[in-house]
């Protein structure tokens, strides 16, 4: 499994397309993904949005992530770093940031590679 992280609009998806031979059609979107089907997924972007979906629907994001990785050991997961900056006043936003951070840690621990993207440049931080 490969985890690609970085801030919003830093070129994470373009990096994945360029460096891992993906076609845009092979990238599922974490905002609109069919969460019932975790078979044969090459790449999922906006995984931080998927975490929000899990929280809103009472699903443990780490348990789902574990199942996703089991079913797709070569998957590329792309997620934004959302825990930096001002702490939101809204409790649900704080919970989302915390759960996204914990899920990111879980994924990074299990990943073969972790790439951090800034300004379109990838730095391998694991693997």
């Amino acid at each position: 499994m490969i985890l690609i992280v970085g801030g919003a609009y830093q070129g994470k998806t373009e990096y994945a397309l360029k460096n891992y031979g993906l076609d845009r059609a092979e990238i599922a979107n974490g905002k609109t993904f069919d969460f019932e089907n975790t078979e044969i997924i090459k790449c999922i972007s906006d995984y931080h949005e998927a975490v929000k979906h899990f929280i809103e629907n009472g699903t443990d994001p780490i348990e789902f992530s574990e199942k996703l990785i089991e079913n797709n050991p070569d998957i590329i997961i792309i997620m934004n770093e959302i825990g930096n900056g001002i702490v939101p006043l809204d409790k649900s936003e704080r919970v989302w940031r915390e759960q996204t951070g914990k899920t990111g840690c879980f994924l990074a621990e299990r990943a073969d590679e972790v790439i951090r993207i800034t300004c379109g440049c990838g730095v391998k931080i694991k693997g």
Side-chain angles (χ1 to χ4, degrees):
M1 189 262 290
I2 298 168
L3 176 63
I4 300 175
V5 298
Y9 308 106
Q10 292 296 309
K12 297 178 296 296
T13 300
E14 293 303 319
Y15 182 90
L17 288 166
K18 180 180 176 184
N19 290 282
Y20 296 103
L22 295 169
D23 183 274
R24 278 198 196 278
E26 297 174 309
I27 301 176
N29 188 308
K31 293 179 186 177
T32 58
F33 181 65
D34 174 12
F35 297 100
E36 298 299 317
N37 180 12
T38 62
E39 303 290 329
I40 311 172
I41 302 167
K42 287 191 175 188
C43 181
I44 185 167
S45 68
D46 295 311
Y47 202 68
H48 59 288
E49 294 288 348
V51 171
K52 182 183 267 189
H53 170 84
F54 302 142
I55 294 166
E56 291 171 350
N57 291 284
T59 302
D60 183 324
I62 292 177
E63 286 180 15
F64 182 90
S65 299
E66 190 168 35
K67 180 180 173 185
L68 181 67
I69 295 167
E70 282 178 19
N71 291 338
N72 303 279
D74 296 324
I75 192 169
I76 299 168
I77 298 175
I78 303 169
M79 69 187 298
N80 283 8
E81 294 175 336
I82 63 168
N84 300 328
I86 298 170
V87 177
L89 292 174
D90 184 78
K91 182 179 180 180
S92 66
E93 291 290 315
R94 291 192 307 271
V95 168
W96 174 42
R97 285 179 181 222
E98 178 183 352
Q99 289 301 311
T100 299
K102 287 181 178 182
T103 302
C105 290
F106 172 85
L107 293 170
E109 183 179 305
R110 284 151 183 79
D112 299 310
E113 290 181 34
V114 179
I115 312 294
R116 185 165 196 278
I117 308 297
T118 304
C119 299
C121 298
V123 175
K124 189 179 284 193
I125 57 176
K126 179 181 178 184

